[in-house]
Amino acid sequence: MISVQKLSYVYSPKTPFSKQALFDMELTIENGDFFGIIGSTGAGKSTLVSHFNALTRIQKNSGTIFVDDMDLSAKKLDLKKLRAKVGMVFQYPEYQLFDDTVVKDVMFGPRNLGLPPDEQKARAKEAIELVGLDYDAIAERSPFELSGGQKRRVALAGVIAMRPEILVLDEPTAGIDPVGKRDIMRLVQDIKKVCPTVVMISHNMDEIATYCNKIAVLDHGRVKGVFTPRELFGSRELIEQCGVELPLVTELAVKLNEAGVAVDGSIIDEDELVSAILGAVENA
């Protein structure tokens, strides 16, 4: 679905402020993946994913990316086709809102695709309802009058209305409370039923461990490795090599083990932890 091949990127090239952000990156994201991208600030995460729908263009002789059969290094790239295929939701998606009503905002993408007005509105209604909002109650309201959580849902709806095959999320739960985080991630799971491939940047290791089937660890513009959650978080050696934090669930399992409660230190899921604790209590 997405093949990154020897991708490099330099900010402000040939100037005194030149800074290389990506170094010969190689990465494959397959159809149906819930693909996590992690790494410290400055690792190159946002720079990488901004290439996926050509918000950042590939520099000359700096590798390429294929999205299906589309070569993103091509000079004559069909941006409309690409952005219909790859939807991007920024770290604070509510800042993507701009129109005077919710329905107009959500219709913007379908309108840019050149769809007829009836189809634009039908897609907007479908997307608004998919993100858990009441279309009749909210369609004609200003998006700027909504709560923070509602704004985030409307911004997601605006991307979903284009029916992308790939959804790229940059820190989708940043700045919201724990209940809101869980609601957003449940929403993303629902969206994945109609948008099969999800790529997510996150600093929240619990979200990464719970929802992703593959995880790419980035470090100073390089890919240190691609792992399953259990491979990464179940290995002390990999955790230290990659410099990532443990999910809270795994950290709790480790501490329980150290305190004499016999639970597996590679647990990455809340339900697993509860089952392990109950088993340890029964066998005590």
Side-chain angles (χ1 to χ4, degrees), residues 2 4 7 22 25-29 33-41 43-52 88 166-172 198-205 207-209 211-219 221-227 232-233 244:
I2 300 178
V4 180
L7 180 69
L22 305 179
M25 279 198 169
E26 298 270 347
L27 204 61
T28 299
I29 299 169
D33 276 344
F34 198 133
F35 197 97
I37 299 178
I38 65 174
S40 59
T41 302
K45 304 182 295 298
S46 295
T47 302
L48 170 63
V49 300
S50 68
H51 282 82
F52 291 172
M88 179 81 70
I166 303 165
L167 180 63
V168 181
L169 304 169
D170 190 347
E171 296 284 358
V198 175
V199 180
M200 179 174 75
I201 294 174
S202 182
H203 282 97
N204 187 314
M205 294 303 103
E207 291 171 359
I208 290 287
Y211 299 102
C212 298
N213 67 309
K214 295 176 189 171
I215 305 165
V217 181
L218 272 54
D219 181 51
R222 294 178 170 85
V223 178
K224 295 200 75 170
V226 177
F227 313 96
L232 178 59
F233 298 122
V244 299

CSV table of all heavy atoms in Angstrom, one decimal, residues 2 4 7 22 25-29 33-41 43-52 88 166-172 198-205 207-209 211-219 221-227 232-233 244:
chain,number,residue,atom,x,y,z
A,2,ILE,N,1.8,1.3,1.0
A,2,ILE,CA,2.8,2.4,1.0
A,2,ILE,C,4.2,1.8,1.0
A,2,ILE,O,4.5,1.0,1.9
A,2,ILE,CB,2.6,3.4,2.2
A,2,ILE,CG1,1.2,4.0,2.1
A,2,ILE,CG2,3.7,4.5,2.1
A,2,ILE,CD1,0.9,4.9,3.3
A,4,VAL,N,8.1,3.1,1.2
A,4,VAL,CA,9.1,4.2,1.3
A,4,VAL,C,10.4,3.6,0.9
A,4,VAL,O,10.9,2.6,1.5
A,4,VAL,CB,9.1,4.7,2.7
A,4,VAL,CG1,10.1,5.9,2.8
A,4,VAL,CG2,7.7,5.2,3.1
A,7,LEU,N,14.2,7.2,1.3
A,7,LEU,CA,13.8,8.6,1.4
A,7,LEU,C,14.7,9.4,2.3
A,7,LEU,O,14.9,9.0,3.5
A,7,LEU,CB,12.3,8.6,1.9
A,7,LEU,CG,11.7,10.0,2.0
A,7,LEU,CD1,11.4,10.6,0.6
A,7,LEU,CD2,10.4,9.9,2.8
A,22,LEU,N,15.5,13.4,7.4
A,22,LEU,CA,15.4,12.0,7.1
A,22,LEU,C,16.6,11.5,6.4
A,22,LEU,O,17.2,12.1,5.5
A,22,LEU,CB,14.1,11.8,6.2
A,22,LEU,CG,12.8,12.3,6.7
A,22,LEU,CD1,11.7,12.0,5.7
A,22,LEU,CD2,12.4,11.7,8.1
A,25,MET,N,15.4,6.4,4.4
A,25,MET,CA,14.4,5.6,5.1
A,25,MET,C,13.8,4.6,4.2
A,25,MET,O,13.5,4.8,3.0
A,25,MET,CB,13.2,6.5,5.6
A,25,MET,CG,13.5,7.2,6.9
A,25,MET,SD,12.0,7.9,7.6
A,25,MET,CE,12.6,8.3,9.2
A,26,GLU,N,13.6,3.4,4.8
A,26,GLU,CA,13.0,2.2,4.1
A,26,GLU,C,11.8,1.8,5.0
A,26,GLU,O,12.0,1.5,6.2
A,26,GLU,CB,14.0,1.1,3.9
A,26,GLU,CG,15.1,1.4,3.0
A,26,GLU,CD,14.9,1.2,1.5
A,26,GLU,OE1,13.9,0.5,1.2
A,26,GLU,OE2,15.6,1.7,0.6
A,27,LEU,N,10.6,1.7,4.4
A,27,LEU,CA,9.4,1.3,5.2
A,27,LEU,C,8.4,0.8,4.3
A,27,LEU,O,8.2,1.3,3.2
A,27,LEU,CB,8.9,2.6,5.9
A,27,LEU,CG,8.1,2.4,7.2
A,27,LEU,CD1,8.9,1.7,8.3
A,27,LEU,CD2,7.7,3.8,7.7
A,28,THR,N,7.6,-0.3,4.8
A,28,THR,CA,6.5,-0.8,4.0
A,28,THR,C,5.3,-0.8,4.9
A,28,THR,O,5.4,-1.4,6.0
A,28,THR,CB,6.8,-2.2,3.4
A,28,THR,OG1,7.9,-2.1,2.6
A,28,THR,CG2,5.6,-2.7,2.7
A,29,ILE,N,4.2,-0.2,4.5
A,29,ILE,CA,2.9,-0.3,5.2
A,29,ILE,C,1.9,-1.0,4.3
A,29,ILE,O,1.7,-0.6,3.2
A,29,ILE,CB,2.4,1.1,5.5
A,29,ILE,CG1,3.5,1.9,6.4
A,29,ILE,CG2,1.1,1.1,6.2
A,29,ILE,CD1,3.2,3.3,6.6
A,33,ASP,N,-3.1,-2.5,7.6
A,33,ASP,CA,-2.3,-2.3,8.8
A,33,ASP,C,-2.9,-1.2,9.6
A,33,ASP,O,-3.5,-0.2,9.1
A,33,ASP,CB,-0.9,-1.9,8.4
A,33,ASP,CG,0.1,-3.0,8.1
A,33,ASP,OD1,-0.3,-4.2,8.5
A,33,ASP,OD2,1.1,-2.8,7.5
A,34,PHE,N,-2.7,-1.3,11.0
A,34,PHE,CA,-2.8,-0.2,11.9
A,34,PHE,C,-1.4,0.1,12.3
A,34,PHE,O,-0.9,-0.6,13.2
A,34,PHE,CB,-3.8,-0.5,13.1
A,34,PHE,CG,-4.3,0.7,13.8
A,34,PHE,CD1,-5.6,0.8,14.1
A,34,PHE,CD2,-3.4,1.7,14.2
A,34,PHE,CE1,-6.1,1.9,14.8
A,34,PHE,CE2,-3.9,2.8,14.8
A,34,PHE,CZ,-5.2,2.9,15.2
A,35,PHE,N,-0.8,1.0,11.7
A,35,PHE,CA,0.7,1.1,11.7
A,35,PHE,C,1.1,2.3,12.6
A,35,PHE,O,0.7,3.4,12.4
A,35,PHE,CB,1.2,1.4,10.3
A,35,PHE,CG,2.7,1.1,10.1
A,35,PHE,CD1,3.2,-0.1,9.6
A,35,PHE,CD2,3.6,2.1,10.4
A,35,PHE,CE1,4.5,-0.3,9.5
A,35,PHE,CE2,5.0,1.9,10.3
A,35,PHE,CZ,5.4,0.7,9.8
A,36,GLY,N,1.8,2.0,13.7
A,36,GLY,CA,2.2,3.0,14.6
A,36,GLY,C,3.6,3.5,14.3
A,36,GLY,O,4.5,2.8,13.8
A,37,ILE,N,3.8,4.8,14.4
A,37,ILE,CA,5.2,5.4,14.2
A,37,ILE,C,5.5,6.2,15.5
A,37,ILE,O,4.8,7.1,15.9
A,37,ILE,CB,5.2,6.4,13.0
A,37,ILE,CG1,4.8,5.6,11.7
A,37,ILE,CG2,6.5,7.1,12.9
A,37,ILE,CD1,4.8,6.5,10.5
A,38,ILE,N,6.6,5.8,16.1
A,38,ILE,CA,7.0,6.4,17.4
A,38,ILE,C,8.5,6.9,17.3
A,38,ILE,O,9.2,6.5,16.4
A,38,ILE,CB,6.8,5.4,18.6
A,38,ILE,CG1,7.7,4.2,18.5
A,38,ILE,CG2,5.4,5.0,18.7
A,38,ILE,CD1,7.7,3.3,19.7
A,39,GLY,N,8.8,7.7,18.3
A,39,GLY,CA,10.2,8.2,18.4
A,39,GLY,C,10.2,9.5,19.1
A,39,GLY,O,9.1,10.1,19.3
A,40,SER,N,11.3,9.9,19.6
A,40,SER,CA,11.4,11.2,20.3
A,40,SER,C,11.1,12.4,19.4
A,40,SER,O,11.1,12.3,18.2
A,40,SER,CB,12.8,11.3,21.0
A,40,SER,OG,13.8,11.3,20.0
A,41,THR,N,10.9,13.5,20.1
A,41,THR,CA,10.7,14.8,19.3
A,41,THR,C,11.9,15.0,18.4
A,41,THR,O,13.1,14.9,18.9
A,41,THR,CB,10.5,16.0,20.3
A,41,THR,OG1,9.4,15.7,21.1
A,41,THR,CG2,10.3,17.3,19.5
A,43,ALA,N,12.6,13.1,15.7
A,43,ALA,CA,13.0,11.9,15.1
A,43,ALA,C,12.6,11.8,13.6
A,43,ALA,O,13.1,11.0,12.9
A,43,ALA,CB,12.3,10.7,15.8
A,44,GLY,N,11.7,12.7,13.2
A,44,GLY,CA,11.3,12.7,11.8
A,44,GLY,C,10.0,12.2,11.5
A,44,GLY,O,9.6,12.0,10.3
A,45,LYS,N,9.2,12.0,12.5
A,45,LYS,CA,7.8,11.3,12.3
A,45,LYS,C,6.9,12.1,11.4
A,45,LYS,O,6.4,11.6,10.4
A,45,LYS,CB,7.2,11.1,13.7
A,45,LYS,CG,8.1,10.3,14.7
A,45,LYS,CD,7.3,10.0,16.0
A,45,LYS,CE,7.1,11.3,16.8
A,45,LYS,NZ,8.3,12.0,17.2
A,46,SER,N,6.7,13.4,11.8
A,46,SER,CA,5.8,14.3,11.0
A,46,SER,C,6.3,14.6,9.6
A,46,SER,O,5.5,14.6,8.7
A,46,SER,CB,5.5,15.6,11.8
A,46,SER,OG,4.8,15.3,13.0
A,47,THR,N,7.6,14.7,9.5
A,47,THR,CA,8.2,15.0,8.2
A,47,THR,C,8.0,13.8,7.3
A,47,THR,O,7.6,13.9,6.1
A,47,THR,CB,9.7,15.2,8.4
A,47,THR,OG1,9.9,16.3,9.2
A,47,THR,CG2,10.4,15.5,7.0
A,48,LEU,N,8.1,12.6,7.8
A,48,LEU,CA,7.9,11.4,7.1
A,48,LEU,C,6.4,11.3,6.6
A,48,LEU,O,6.2,11.2,5.4
A,48,LEU,CB,8.2,10.1,7.9
A,48,LEU,CG,7.8,8.8,7.3
A,48,LEU,CD1,8.5,8.5,6.0
A,48,LEU,CD2,8.0,7.6,8.3
A,49,VAL,N,5.5,11.4,7.5
A,49,VAL,CA,4.1,11.1,7.1
A,49,VAL,C,3.6,12.3,6.2
A,49,VAL,O,2.6,12.1,5.4
A,49,VAL,CB,3.2,10.9,8.3
A,49,VAL,CG1,3.6,9.7,9.1
A,49,VAL,CG2,3.0,12.1,9.2
A,50,SER,N,4.1,13.5,6.3
A,50,SER,CA,3.7,14.6,5.5
A,50,SER,C,4.0,14.3,4.0
A,50,SER,O,3.5,15.0,3.1
A,50,SER,CB,4.3,15.9,5.9
A,50,SER,OG,5.7,16.0,5.7
A,51,HIS,N,4.9,13.4,3.7
A,51,HIS,CA,5.2,13.0,2.3
A,51,HIS,C,4.1,12.1,1.8
A,51,HIS,O,4.0,12.0,0.5
A,51,HIS,CB,6.6,12.2,2.3
A,51,HIS,CG,7.8,13.1,2.3
A,51,HIS,ND1,8.3,13.5,3.5
A,51,HIS,CD2,8.6,13.5,1.3
A,51,HIS,CE1,9.4,14.2,3.2
A,51,HIS,NE2,9.6,14.2,1.9
A,52,PHE,N,3.3,11.4,2.6
A,52,PHE,CA,2.4,10.4,2.1
A,52,PHE,C,1.3,10.9,1.3
A,52,PHE,O,0.8,10.2,0.4
A,52,PHE,CB,1.8,9.6,3.3
A,52,PHE,CG,2.8,8.7,4.1
A,52,PHE,CD1,2.4,8.1,5.2
A,52,PHE,CD2,4.1,8.5,3.6
A,52,PHE,CE1,3.3,7.3,5.9
A,52,PHE,CE2,5.0,7.7,4.3
A,52,PHE,CZ,4.6,7.1,5.5
A,88,MET,N,-5.2,13.0,5.6
A,88,MET,CA,-4.3,13.4,6.7
A,88,MET,C,-5.0,14.2,7.8
A,88,MET,O,-5.7,15.2,7.4
A,88,MET,CB,-3.2,14.3,6.1
A,88,MET,CG,-2.2,14.8,7.1
A,88,MET,SD,-0.9,13.6,7.5
A,88,MET,CE,0.0,13.5,6.0
A,166,ILE,N,-6.4,5.3,3.0
A,166,ILE,CA,-5.4,5.4,4.0
A,166,ILE,C,-5.6,6.6,4.9
A,166,ILE,O,-5.8,7.7,4.3
A,166,ILE,CB,-4.0,5.5,3.4
A,166,ILE,CG1,-3.7,4.3,2.5
A,166,ILE,CG2,-2.9,5.6,4.5
A,166,ILE,CD1,-2.5,4.5,1.6
A,167,LEU,N,-5.7,6.4,6.2
A,167,LEU,CA,-5.9,7.6,7.1
A,167,LEU,C,-4.6,7.8,7.9
A,167,LEU,O,-4.2,6.8,8.6
A,167,LEU,CB,-7.1,7.3,8.0
A,167,LEU,CG,-7.4,8.4,9.1
A,167,LEU,CD1,-7.8,9.7,8.4
A,167,LEU,CD2,-8.5,7.9,10.0
A,168,VAL,N,-4.0,9.0,7.9
A,168,VAL,CA,-2.8,9.3,8.6
A,168,VAL,C,-3.2,10.2,9.8
A,168,VAL,O,-3.7,11.3,9.5
A,168,VAL,CB,-1.7,9.9,7.7
A,168,VAL,CG1,-0.5,10.2,8.5
A,168,VAL,CG2,-1.4,9.0,6.5
A,169,LEU,N,-2.9,9.8,11.0
A,169,LEU,CA,-3.2,10.5,12.2
A,169,LEU,C,-1.9,11.0,12.9
A,169,LEU,O,-1.1,10.1,13.3
A,169,LEU,CB,-4.1,9.7,13.1
A,169,LEU,CG,-5.3,9.1,12.5
A,169,LEU,CD1,-5.9,8.0,13.5
A,169,LEU,CD2,-6.4,10.2,12.3
A,170,ASP,N,-1.8,12.2,13.1
A,170,ASP,CA,-0.6,12.8,13.8
A,170,ASP,C,-1.1,13.2,15.2
A,170,ASP,O,-1.7,14.2,15.4
A,170,ASP,CB,0.0,14.0,13.1
A,170,ASP,CG,1.3,14.4,13.6
A,170,ASP,OD1,1.7,13.9,14.7
A,170,ASP,OD2,2.0,15.2,13.0
A,171,GLU,N,-0.7,12.3,16.2
A,171,GLU,CA,-1.1,12.5,17.6
A,171,GLU,C,-2.6,12.8,17.8
A,171,GLU,O,-3.0,13.9,18.2
A,171,GLU,CB,-0.3,13.7,18.2
A,171,GLU,CG,1.2,13.5,18.2
A,171,GLU,CD,1.7,12.5,19.4
A,171,GLU,OE1,0.8,12.1,20.1
A,171,GLU,OE2,2.9,12.3,19.5
A,172,PRO,N,-3.4,11.8,17.4
A,172,PRO,CA,-4.9,12.1,17.4
A,172,PRO,C,-5.5,12.4,18.8
A,172,PRO,O,-6.6,13.0,18.9
A,172,PRO,CB,-5.5,10.8,16.9
A,172,PRO,CG,-4.4,9.8,17.2
A,172,PRO,CD,-3.1,10.5,17.0
A,198,VAL,N,-4.6,2.5,8.6
A,198,VAL,CA,-4.4,3.6,9.4
A,198,VAL,C,-2.9,3.7,9.8
A,198,VAL,O,-2.3,2.7,10.2
A,198,VAL,CB,-5.3,3.5,10.7
A,198,VAL,CG1,-5.0,4.7,11.7
A,198,VAL,CG2,-6.8,3.5,10.4
A,199,VAL,N,-2.4,4.9,9.7
A,199,VAL,CA,-1.0,5.2,10.2
A,199,VAL,C,-1.1,6.2,11.3
A,199,VAL,O,-1.7,7.3,11.1
A,199,VAL,CB,-0.2,5.7,9.0
A,199,VAL,CG1,1.3,6.0,9.5
A,199,VAL,CG2,-0.2,4.8,7.8
A,200,MET,N,-0.5,5.9,12.4
A,200,MET,CA,-0.7,6.8,13.6
A,200,MET,C,0.6,7.1,14.2
A,200,MET,O,1.4,6.2,14.6
A,200,MET,CB,-1.6,6.2,14.6
A,200,MET,CG,-1.9,7.0,15.9
A,200,MET,SD,-3.1,6.3,17.0
A,200,MET,CE,-2.1,5.0,17.7
A,201,ILE,N,0.9,8.4,14.4
A,201,ILE,CA,2.0,8.9,15.2
A,201,ILE,C,1.5,9.1,16.6
A,201,ILE,O,0.4,9.7,16.8
A,201,ILE,CB,2.6,10.2,14.7
A,201,ILE,CG1,3.2,10.1,13.3
A,201,ILE,CG2,3.6,10.8,15.6
A,201,ILE,CD1,3.7,11.4,12.6
A,202,SER,N,2.2,8.6,17.6
A,202,SER,CA,1.7,8.9,19.0
A,202,SER,C,2.9,8.8,19.9
A,202,SER,O,3.8,8.0,19.7
A,202,SER,CB,0.6,7.9,19.4
A,202,SER,OG,0.2,8.1,20.7
A,203,HIS,N,2.8,9.6,21.0
A,203,HIS,CA,3.7,9.4,22.1
A,203,HIS,C,3.1,8.6,23.2
A,203,HIS,O,3.8,8.3,24.2
A,203,HIS,CB,4.1,10.8,22.7
A,203,HIS,CG,5.1,11.6,21.8
A,203,HIS,ND1,4.7,12.5,20.9
A,203,HIS,CD2,6.5,11.5,21.8
A,203,HIS,CE1,5.8,13.0,20.3
A,203,HIS,NE2,6.9,12.4,20.8
A,204,ASN,N,1.9,8.2,23.0
A,204,ASN,CA,1.2,7.4,24.0
A,204,ASN,C,1.4,5.9,23.7
A,204,ASN,O,0.8,5.3,22.8
A,204,ASN,CB,-0.3,7.7,24.0
A,204,ASN,CG,-1.1,7.1,25.1
A,204,ASN,OD1,-0.9,5.9,25.4
A,204,ASN,ND2,-2.0,7.9,25.8
A,205,MET,N,2.3,5.3,24.5
A,205,MET,CA,2.7,3.9,24.2
A,205,MET,C,1.5,2.9,24.5
A,205,MET,O,1.5,1.9,23.9
A,205,MET,CB,3.9,3.5,25.1
A,205,MET,CG,5.2,4.3,24.7
A,205,MET,SD,5.6,4.1,22.9
A,205,MET,CE,5.1,5.7,22.3
A,207,GLU,N,-1.7,3.5,23.8
A,207,GLU,CA,-2.4,3.5,22.5
A,207,GLU,C,-1.7,2.7,21.4
A,207,GLU,O,-2.3,1.9,20.7
A,207,GLU,CB,-2.7,4.9,22.1
A,207,GLU,CG,-3.6,5.7,23.0
A,207,GLU,CD,-3.7,7.2,22.6
A,207,GLU,OE1,-3.0,7.6,21.7
A,207,GLU,OE2,-4.5,7.9,23.3
A,208,ILE,N,-0.4,2.9,21.3
A,208,ILE,CA,0.3,2.2,20.3
A,208,ILE,C,0.3,0.7,20.5
A,208,ILE,O,0.0,-0.1,19.6
A,208,ILE,CB,1.8,2.7,20.3
A,208,ILE,CG1,1.9,4.1,19.8
A,208,ILE,CG2,2.7,1.7,19.5
A,208,ILE,CD1,1.7,4.3,18.3
A,209,ALA,N,0.5,0.3,21.8
A,209,ALA,CA,0.5,-1.2,22.1
A,209,ALA,C,-0.9,-1.8,21.9
A,209,ALA,O,-1.0,-2.9,21.5
A,209,ALA,CB,1.0,-1.4,23.5
A,211,TYR,N,-3.6,-0.7,19.9
A,211,TYR,CA,-4.3,-0.6,18.7
A,211,TYR,C,-3.5,-1.0,17.4
A,211,TYR,O,-4.0,-1.4,16.4
A,211,TYR,CB,-4.9,0.8,18.5
A,211,TYR,CG,-5.8,1.2,19.5
A,211,TYR,CD1,-5.5,2.0,20.6
A,211,TYR,CD2,-7.1,0.7,19.5
A,211,TYR,CE1,-6.4,2.4,21.6
A,211,TYR,CE2,-8.1,1.0,20.5
A,211,TYR,CZ,-7.7,1.9,21.5
A,211,TYR,OH,-8.6,2.2,22.5
A,212,CYS,N,-2.2,-0.9,17.5
A,212,CYS,CA,-1.3,-1.1,16.3
A,212,CYS,C,-0.9,-2.5,16.2
A,212,CYS,O,-0.6,-3.2,17.2
A,212,CYS,CB,-0.1,-0.2,16.4
A,212,CYS,SG,-0.5,1.6,16.4
A,213,ASN,N,-0.8,-3.0,14.9
A,213,ASN,CA,-0.3,-4.3,14.7
A,213,ASN,C,1.2,-4.3,14.3
A,213,ASN,O,1.9,-5.3,14.4
A,213,ASN,CB,-1.1,-5.1,13.6
A,213,ASN,CG,-0.9,-4.4,12.2
A,213,ASN,OD1,-1.1,-3.2,12.1
A,213,ASN,ND2,-0.6,-5.2,11.2
A,214,LYS,N,1.7,-3.1,13.9
A,214,LYS,CA,3.1,-2.9,13.6
A,214,LYS,C,3.5,-1.6,14.1
A,214,LYS,O,2.7,-0.6,14.1
A,214,LYS,CB,3.4,-3.0,12.1
A,214,LYS,CG,3.1,-4.4,11.5
A,214,LYS,CD,3.3,-4.3,10.0
A,214,LYS,CE,2.8,-5.6,9.3
A,214,LYS,NZ,2.9,-5.5,7.8
A,215,ILE,N,4.8,-1.5,14.5
A,215,ILE,CA,5.3,-0.2,15.1
A,215,ILE,C,6.7,0.0,14.4
A,215,ILE,O,7.6,-0.8,14.5
A,215,ILE,CB,5.5,-0.3,16.6
A,215,ILE,CG1,4.2,-0.7,17.3
A,215,ILE,CG2,6.0,1.0,17.2
A,215,ILE,CD1,4.4,-1.2,18.7
A,216,ALA,N,6.8,1.2,13.8
A,216,ALA,CA,8.2,1.7,13.4
A,216,ALA,C,8.7,2.6,14.4
A,216,ALA,O,8.1,3.6,14.8
A,216,ALA,CB,8.0,2.4,12.0
A,217,VAL,N,10.0,2.3,14.8
A,217,VAL,CA,10.7,3.2,15.7
A,217,VAL,C,11.7,4.1,15.0
A,217,VAL,O,12.5,3.5,14.3
A,217,VAL,CB,11.4,2.4,16.8
A,217,VAL,CG1,12.1,3.3,17.8
A,217,VAL,CG2,10.5,1.4,17.5
A,218,LEU,N,11.5,5.4,15.1
A,218,LEU,CA,12.3,6.3,14.4
A,218,LEU,C,13.3,7.0,15.4
A,218,LEU,O,12.9,7.2,16.5
A,218,LEU,CB,11.5,7.4,13.7
A,218,LEU,CG,11.0,7.2,12.3
A,218,LEU,CD1,10.3,5.9,12.1
A,218,LEU,CD2,10.2,8.3,11.7
A,219,ASP,N,14.5,7.3,14.9
A,219,ASP,CA,15.5,7.9,15.7
A,219,ASP,C,16.4,8.8,14.9
A,219,ASP,O,17.1,8.3,14.0
A,219,ASP,CB,16.3,6.9,16.5
A,219,ASP,CG,17.4,7.5,17.4
A,219,ASP,OD1,17.0,8.4,18.2
A,219,ASP,OD2,18.6,7.1,17.3
A,221,GLY,N,15.8,10.7,12.3
A,221,GLY,CA,15.6,10.6,10.9
A,221,GLY,C,15.9,9.2,10.3
A,221,GLY,O,15.9,9.1,9.1
A,222,ARG,N,16.1,8.2,11.1
A,222,ARG,CA,16.4,6.9,10.6
A,222,ARG,C,15.4,5.9,11.2
A,222,ARG,O,14.9,6.1,12.4
A,222,ARG,CB,17.8,6.4,11.0
A,222,ARG,CG,18.9,7.2,10.2
A,222,ARG,CD,20.3,6.8,10.6
A,222,ARG,NE,21.3,7.4,9.8
A,222,ARG,CZ,21.8,8.6,10.0
A,222,ARG,NH1,21.4,9.3,11.0
A,222,ARG,NH2,22.8,9.1,9.2
A,223,VAL,N,15.1,4.8,10.5
A,223,VAL,CA,14.2,3.7,11.0
A,223,VAL,C,15.1,2.7,11.8
A,223,VAL,O,16.0,2.1,11.2
A,223,VAL,CB,13.5,3.0,9.9
A,223,VAL,CG1,12.6,1.9,10.5
A,223,VAL,CG2,12.6,4.0,9.1
A,224,LYS,N,14.9,2.7,13.1
A,224,LYS,CA,15.7,1.7,13.9
A,224,LYS,C,15.1,0.3,13.8
A,224,LYS,O,15.8,-0.7,14.1
A,224,LYS,CB,15.6,2.1,15.4
A,224,LYS,CG,16.3,3.5,15.6
A,224,LYS,CD,16.8,3.6,17.1
A,224,LYS,CE,18.0,2.8,17.4
A,224,LYS,NZ,18.5,3.1,18.8
A,225,GLY,N,13.8,0.2,13.4
A,225,GLY,CA,13.3,-1.2,13.3
A,225,GLY,C,11.8,-1.1,13.2
A,225,GLY,O,11.1,-0.1,13.6
A,226,VAL,N,11.2,-2.2,12.7
A,226,VAL,CA,9.7,-2.3,12.7
A,226,VAL,C,9.4,-3.6,13.4
A,226,VAL,O,9.9,-4.7,13.2
A,226,VAL,CB,9.2,-2.4,11.2
A,226,VAL,CG1,7.7,-2.6,11.2
A,226,VAL,CG2,9.5,-1.1,10.5
A,227,PHE,N,8.5,-3.5,14.4
A,227,PHE,CA,8.2,-4.6,15.3
A,227,PHE,C,6.7,-4.8,15.5
A,227,PHE,O,5.9,-3.8,15.3
A,227,PHE,CB,8.8,-4.4,16.7
A,227,PHE,CG,10.3,-3.9,16.6
A,227,PHE,CD1,10.6,-2.6,16.7
A,227,PHE,CD2,11.3,-4.8,16.5
A,227,PHE,CE1,11.9,-2.1,16.6
A,227,PHE,CE2,12.6,-4.4,16.4
A,227,PHE,CZ,12.9,-3.1,16.5
A,232,LEU,N,8.3,-5.6,20.6
A,232,LEU,CA,9.0,-4.4,21.1
A,232,LEU,C,8.9,-4.3,22.6
A,232,LEU,O,9.9,-4.2,23.3
A,232,LEU,CB,8.4,-3.1,20.4
A,232,LEU,CG,9.0,-1.8,20.9
A,232,LEU,CD1,10.5,-1.7,20.7
A,232,LEU,CD2,8.3,-0.6,20.1
A,233,PHE,N,7.6,-4.3,23.1
A,233,PHE,CA,7.4,-4.0,24.5
A,233,PHE,C,7.7,-5.2,25.4
A,233,PHE,O,7.8,-5.0,26.6
A,233,PHE,CB,6.0,-3.4,24.7
A,233,PHE,CG,5.8,-2.1,24.0
A,233,PHE,CD1,4.7,-2.0,23.1
A,233,PHE,CD2,6.6,-1.0,24.2
A,233,PHE,CE1,4.5,-0.8,22.4
A,233,PHE,CE2,6.4,0.2,23.6
A,233,PHE,CZ,5.3,0.3,22.7
A,244,VAL,N,12.6,3.7,24.0
A,244,VAL,CA,11.2,4.1,24.1
A,244,VAL,C,10.7,3.7,25.5
A,244,VAL,O,11.3,2.9,26.2
A,244,VAL,CB,10.3,3.3,23.0
A,244,VAL,CG1,10.8,3.7,21.7
A,244,VAL,CG2,10.4,1.8,23.2
